Every structure is written in structure tokens, then in C-alpha cells.
Amino acid sequence: MMLPRSIPILSALLLLTAPAAAQISLTPPATTPSPAPEKPKAAKPPAPAKKKEAAPAPKPSPSPSAPPTATVIPAPPTDSSGVDLVYGAYQRGQYKTAFDLATARAQGGDPKAMTMLGQLYSGALGIKRDYAKAAEWYKRASDAGDRQAMLELAMLRIAGRGGPIDKGEAVKLLASASKLGEPKAAYNLALLYLDGQTLPQDVKRSAELLRQAADAGLPEAQYALATFYKEGTGVEKDIDKAVRLLQAATLADNVDAEVEYAIALFNGTGTPRNPPAAVALLRKAARQNSPIAQNRLARILITGMGAPVDKVEGFKWHLVAKTAGKGDPDLDAQLTELNPDDRAKAEAAAKKWLGTK
């Protein structure tokens, strides 16, 4: 039995809204590392006076025509172990403390603290949600060169939060953040080039941006680029590259990739055939509420091709997938032929999973 492919390319990709807490302002996310904020260089101390000199030379008075001295942003306050106190409070859920500490730092000109304030205002974390203030802090941080603030402000502009919808500004912000190495900005910009509404459709440019984000380890981009290689969209068709990208995204727990990689393993497409590994991945994705995984797993368990027959479990997943719009007429027909006891067990198991028992 060959399992069919699962997800059409466009429905898999058009996801323009960033998760509310997907980006943490003061340290990089675990799966998409960003460079840590640069610590300002401390001013060099004056050279020690040579022993032969009676006294150190007096400091020269600044010339009236000399350029103004650059403002030095103080280093983030840390505890004795060197942990950033603002980020530490954020990670512990102490949002009010994070807000107070970030406010003091933002007033001192720290762009990462400004981005944190934007995150707190946007996510209603420790303070009342205020998209206008979030946009204000993101704007100040992005003007100071913070790539994450650029991404966050772009998402607000696309959604029309904290101000009117401004896709033109959003595109500029995403482009700037992408150039600075922000993978989520490259990913979202790729989607805009693919969609062809905000920007002229350019699948090759979309593929380039997806590759940038995928190389940085963003699982959504790895999955999306895999579909490009499978279909030959913006790149030459290459099943082997597609499967390698699916495997990478699967290791990062991307559910869509888990389903596609499981199907590749089951069918032996671009990788050695491995039905047990495929079934294990389908089980994992089914438990993560992927209707496609639930449907494919149901087929396997009901037919026994790739795993021992378990019709009660198989029809349970069929009924669960059906409630999410993934009906299967063939399995419906087989369900009517199931003995009453097993059918009752499958229906009870499905209800229990759905929480409707």
C-alpha cells in the first residue's frame, strides 16, 4: 500500500501571523538562534604614566569643532552568575519584574529592552495589552537596529494592530530584518513573494529566502522548502533534498514535516523504506492532532499493512480525523461492516479522545 502525499503546497505555507510568544526579546529562541546583543565596549582607560614622567599628562580640553561623543549604552544588569536579570524574570513568568527592569534599561537606550517592552505590551504579560505602545517600543528598537523588533513591528503592521495596516512598511521591515539574519523575517518575506498579493509573485526569490531561513534552522522554512523541492517550485525538483529537509524539520517537532517524512519512510520515497519508523511518526503526529496523520494511521491499522491489525484503534482515529474534515469513504464503508462490539469500542475511544464522552 502506498500512502498518498498529505498537504498541498499553498495550504501548508500561507501562515503570516507570528505566534504571540514565538520571539523572546532578550535572548535567542532555542530553535532559531540569533546573535546575542552586543555588549557596548567600555572606554579604554588612560595609559599608565611612564616611570620617568613626574605626573600624568593633563586631559586635553575638547575642541569646539570636535564631534559629539557617542552615548554608551550600559551593559545589561546581571546577577553574580552573569545571567541577564530581565530575561531571567521573563523566563520565570515574573513579567512585572521584567517590565520594571526593562523599562529602566530602555530609558537608558538599550534596544533589546525596548523589544522586551514591546513583547510584554503586545502579549499582555504583566501589563494590560496595548498594541500602540508595543508598536512604539518596537519602532524605537528597530530604529536602533534590533532585527527582532523589526520582525515584530512588521507583523503588527500586517495585522493592523497598534496602527493602520501598512504592508509596504512591513515588507521593508522584513527585508531589513532578513538582511540582519532574522530567519523568521526571511520566512515571512518568502510567503509574501509566494502569495503574490503584497509583492509580485516570485517563486525563485521565495525559494532563496526559504533557503536562508532553513539554513538557520527554522523548521517551518525547512518544511516549506522541502515542498518546493518536491514540486520543483522555484528550484529544480530534487526528492532527496526534500526528504533531508523533512527529516531536519521532523527532528525539530514540526508536525507537518512529521507527516510528510512518515509517508516518505512508508513508501521508500527518497529514503530507504521503513514502515515501523513511519508508523511511529504517524502516531506521534496523530496525538498532536494532525487529521492527515490520523487518517493515514487509521488506514495502516485497519489494513495491517505496516503494522499489526488493530481495527478498534484504527477506526478510532478514522472517526477523530473525520470530525476535522478528513473523511474517508472507503473507511466509512468498512466501519459499517465492523462487528457491533468493536464498533462501539472504537466510537467510545473516539469520543474519549475528543472529550465528548
Side-chain angles (χ1 to χ4, degrees):
M1 177 178 70
M2 293 282 287
L3 286 183
R5 288 183 56 247
S6 60
I7 304 171
I9 185 170
L10 288 179
S11 65
L13 294 181
L14 298 180
L15 305 170
L16 287 177
T17 303
Q23 294 83 33
I24 297 174
S25 301
L26 298 183
T27 93
T31 58
T32 56
S34 305
E38 294 183 0
K39 293 184 178 179
K41 297 179 180 179
K44 294 182 179 180
K50 297 180 181 179
K51 292 182 179 180
K52 294 181 180 180
E53 295 177 353
K59 295 181 180 179
S61 300
S63 169
S65 59
T69 304
T71 300
V72 177
I73 299 172
T78 58
D79 62 18
S80 59
S81 65
V83 175
D84 185 316
L85 297 180
V86 178
Y87 179 66
Y90 183 95
Q91 287 291 81
R92 292 191 297 271
Q94 296 172 348
Y95 301 123
K96 184 62 170 64
T97 299
F99 178 83
D100 292 341
L101 292 171
T103 298
R105 279 172 52 179
Q107 290 172 348
D110 183 350
K112 286 296 177 183
M114 297 173 190
T115 303
M116 173 61 87
L117 288 175
Q119 185 74 42
L120 295 172
Y121 273 116
S122 179
L125 302 173
I127 195 167
K128 184 179 179 180
R129 179 177 280 113
D130 190 328
Y131 287 121
K133 288 185 178 178
E136 179 184 344
W137 282 115
Y138 285 145
K139 179 69 166 62
R140 290 179 62 179
S142 63
D143 288 346
D146 186 77
R147 68 186 193 182
Q148 190 173 355
M150 295 173 189
L151 168 65
E152 298 283 5
L153 183 57
M155 305 315 293
L156 290 183
R157 293 294 182 248
I158 287 173
R161 292 174 175 170
I165 292 175
D166 191 338
K167 293 185 178 181
E169 183 187 1
V171 167
K172 292 178 181 177
L173 288 164
L174 290 174
S176 296
S178 176
K179 288 179 181 178
L180 291 173
E182 173 51 61
K184 291 178 182 176
Y187 173 72
N188 280 283
L189 193 58
L191 301 187
L192 293 178
Y193 275 112
L194 181 64
D195 183 46
Q197 296 184 23
T198 302
L199 290 168
Q201 189 176 59
D202 187 338
V203 293
K204 288 186 177 180
R205 179 58 179 150
S206 180
E208 291 171 358
L209 289 162
L210 287 176
R211 187 178 295 108
Q212 175 185 328
D215 288 346
L218 187 67
E220 293 86 355
Q222 292 167 340
Y223 169 72
L225 186 58
T227 65
F228 273 42
Y229 276 115
K230 286 177 66 176
E231 303 293 339
T233 302
V235 294
E236 290 188 13
K237 190 173 181 178
D238 191 324
I239 298 300
D240 291 340
K241 286 185 179 179
V243 171
R244 286 197 295 272
L245 285 161
L246 289 174
Q247 183 183 36
T250 294
L251 292 172
D253 294 325
N254 182 277
V255 179
D256 291 334
E258 288 171 357
V259 177
E260 291 281 1
Y261 187 49
I263 291 171
L265 287 169
F266 190 91
N267 295 332
T269 305
T271 186
R273 193 167 186 270
N274 190 339
V279 172
L281 275 177
L282 287 174
R283 285 187 188 279
K284 179 182 178 183
R287 291 176 183 136
Q288 292 171 296
N289 287 318
S290 166
I292 296 168
Q294 292 162 352
N295 172 262
R296 302 314 189 261
L297 181 60
R299 292 186 186 186
I300 289 171
L301 294 175
I302 290 167
T303 62
M305 296 184 68
V309 172
D310 188 338
K311 292 191 175 182
V312 171
E313 182 76 1
F315 281 112
K316 169 196 128 175
W317 287 120
H318 164 60
L319 293 170
V320 170
K322 189 174 180 178
T323 64
K326 288 297 174 185
D328 192 319
D330 290 338
L331 295 184
D332 279 337
Q334 293 183 52
L335 181 59
T336 62
E337 300 172 359
L338 194 64
N339 70 68
D341 287 344
D342 284 347
R343 179 169 181 170
K345 289 178 183 178
E347 290 174 345
K351 289 178 179 178
K352 182 177 180 181
W353 177 267
L354 295 168
T356 58
K357 185 175 180 178

